[in-house]
Amino acid sequence: MTFLYALDLHEILILIAEHLDRSDILSCTKVSKTFYASFLPFLWQKVVVTQEGPNFSHAQHLLHKIHHLELQSSPTSSSVPTHGFIHLTTFKISGLDNPKNHHDDNWPHLTAILLNLGPNCALVSFELRHSTASPAFWIALSQCHLSSLTIAHSVVPATAFSAFWEMCTVLESIHIHDVDFQSGGMPLPKNGSRLLRLKHLTHSYIRLSGQSSQEQEQEQEEGAIFPWIFAPHLETLCLVDGFQRTPTFDLSRMVEGIRLAQEAAATSRGNDTVKDPSPFETLIPGRKIRSLEIHTNRGHHDRDIAFLINNIKILQSITLEFPGQALQTFCALGRHRKTLTKIHTRFCGVDSVEVLTLLAGCDQLQILAAAAIHSRDMPWSQPWVCLGLKQLSVVIVVDAVPSDESYVCAARGVFERLGRLVQLEFLDLSGGDPSKEARIPLKVGMGLGQLQELKELQHLRLQDAMFAEMAVADAAWMVQHWPRLKTVQVRQIDAGKPAPEVEKVFADAGVLVKKESR
């Protein structure tokens, strides 16, 4: 009798290998010679080179199997060959500035690897960390069709990097963090014409060592230090200023560059009178920065951030961290109330009325982390329309004396609003200073029963003072009416401890109580 199989054993083993991790594949290579032959190529798809290995001398025939190559030690011709990586798609270099790994012939060898990939190389992603690449390496890298570039904690020659930019026309993702561009200023295309496919950009802790004060003044006058802002398909933009470092990112300069470009565009149309500000889409059609994230340690950027928000056509997510008032910024967010799904602020001075206005206007909102909400403002605010909200992190201040009857009424009013957020999964009420302002009490007698429809709630975060006020009946009510509750996080400040019986109620229901240190 003859048996016919749709697949032979080798093909079956390949299908199995695609669903195993590296340690399991290694075990399979030790089963038999057949298994060894089938599973060995999968061990070489992702290779990390350290001082301990691997040894390429007996694996020349497997180099074409390598898709991901990471170098954590100095490569030499005896440890890493310079040719044969014809299917390499991801290349990562890290730690070559370490004195133990540093050799003068590092970068010629790495440059040879890139040059031998050939004109039709498959490399699309490159990452450089804790290293200082040579100018020749950047020139060789520009021959590759990169779509993703990450540079962190490294030194980069500005002149060579400028040449690299002029050749890389298909980059879609750029992440630059803690990078020192030496001798030449910000090495970016002056008009953004080479960034036509750029969609994601992270720009943080940039230093320009070796740049003269005259060059810095010229860039400031031209407003050309941030030309990537004109990438027409940019969707995600993250800007980070130097916390506890020399400031390198200035929104005011960026905004001035946009204004100058708008004036130039208006002048080219024969219109010398420019309205302030003209819409961004008049300069670049289809402006859709869907996610904007700004972190700065300077607090005078409210007007500049509001300018950017007003000139974005579609905004879905915004994260802001800067000291000072954010009144104009939150007013500008009202323009995107029909598209915003995430608002996260930190250290920003935001008025309670502005937060309530967003809750009453952003019907697509799913995540909100903002400043304090005062109970006194709730009766005058519109009903909340963000019924799909999943994460809420706010400081709810009850504007009444705890011993007064109005305190109970105010708390019930807050619970009535929160009870409508039936999709809520994460509720954080741990912010603020309990010594200065009265907080909402999570007690059945204060109106907690109005939150019985929060059936999706999984995570609750509180101040230790709020947790200490809980009674056994309050905890029992929570585990009964919130069936999906998994964790109660307690932010330790300096206010008493809960009764052991309360913690036992949560433990018996399988709810984990996590206490966060100060």
Side-chain angles (χ1 to χ4, degrees), residues 13 16-17 20 25 28-29 34-43:
L13 293 179
I16 294 174
L20 299 179
I25 293 175
C28 290
T29 60
T34 301
F35 273 52
Y36 179 85
S38 298
F39 283 99
L40 183 62
F42 287 89
L43 282 178

Side-chain angles (χ1 to χ4, degrees), residues 20 33 37 43 66 75 105 109 130 226-227 229 251 304 316 325 327 334 348 357 363 382 418 478:
L20 299 179
K33 291 183 178 180
L43 282 178
I66 299 178
D105 61 346
H109 189 89
H130 299 284
F226 301 108
I229 196 66
L251 264 175
D304 297 324
Q316 295 178 335
Q325 294 299 314
L327 180 60
C348 305
T357 300
D363 54 358
Q382 297 293 323
L418 290 176
M478 292 180 185

Side-chain angles (χ1 to χ4, degrees), residues 71-75 93-99 101-103 106-107 110 129-132:
L71 302 182
Q72 296 181 357
S73 67
S74 299
I93 301 173
S94 61
L96 296 197
D97 279 347
N98 189 321
N101 293 331
H102 185 73
H103 298 287
N106 277 344
W107 296 105
L110 293 171
R129 293 182 180 273
H130 299 284
S131 303
T132 304

